[in-house]
Amino acid sequence: METFTVRDLRERSGDLIRCAEEGKLSVVTKHGAPVFVAVPFDDILVREGVTVALAVHLFDEAQMSLSKAAQLAGMSRVEFTRHLSQLNIPVIRTDAAELERDLAAFNP
């Protein structure tokens, strides 16, 4: 998630637009405090509305847990997990090192 200041809106509006086109959320701050969130205008937003789109994007960018995102979307964790699956967004994300540690735990 990219952060922009109010000043950046004047000087870097192109960067803010590029982030949105890339599907990234952006936060705009004033004196260090968040003022608003820029949510990409995509199929999820059109189909599901702002709250669900925001929850999906925050979860997908690892800014929010599954439970919190489901709560924001107004869904149970199971419903939200199904929704993410329909969007081809993985719910479980494991990096290579974590996977090796897990596999090593099974092989004494």
Side-chain angles (χ1 to χ4, degrees):
M1 180 168 11
E2 188 81 27
T3 301
F4 293 87
T5 65
V6 172
R7 172 183 277 164
D8 289 336
L9 292 179
R10 289 187 299 269
E11 298 171 1
R12 297 180 47 217
S13 60
D15 293 339
L16 179 64
I17 291 169
R18 259 186 300 289
C19 284
E21 289 173 337
E22 293 170 2
K24 297 177 184 173
L25 291 175
S26 298
V27 174
V28 177
T29 63
K30 182 176 182 181
H31 304 299
V35 178
F36 66 89
V37 175
V39 179
F41 193 85
D42 57 13
D43 291 341
I44 299 168
L45 179 66
V46 171
R47 210 175 36 249
E48 307 294 336
V50 173
T51 347
V52 174
L54 183 58
V56 167
H57 283 286
L58 287 170
F59 175 78
D60 195 30
E61 292 184 6
Q63 300 294 317
M64 187 174 274
S65 70
L66 179 67
S67 294
K68 291 291 184 183
Q71 185 178 17
L72 175 62
M75 299 178 187
S76 70
R77 284 190 310 246
V78 172
E79 290 170 320
F80 192 65
T81 300
R82 280 191 200 118
H83 186 66
L84 292 170
S85 175
Q86 291 170 345
L87 297 171
N88 295 317
I89 296 173
V91 176
I92 299 172
R93 298 167 185 176
T94 307
D95 63 21
E98 188 176 0
L99 182 58
E100 284 188 32
R101 282 192 305 275
D102 288 349
L103 290 173
F106 286 110
N107 297 321

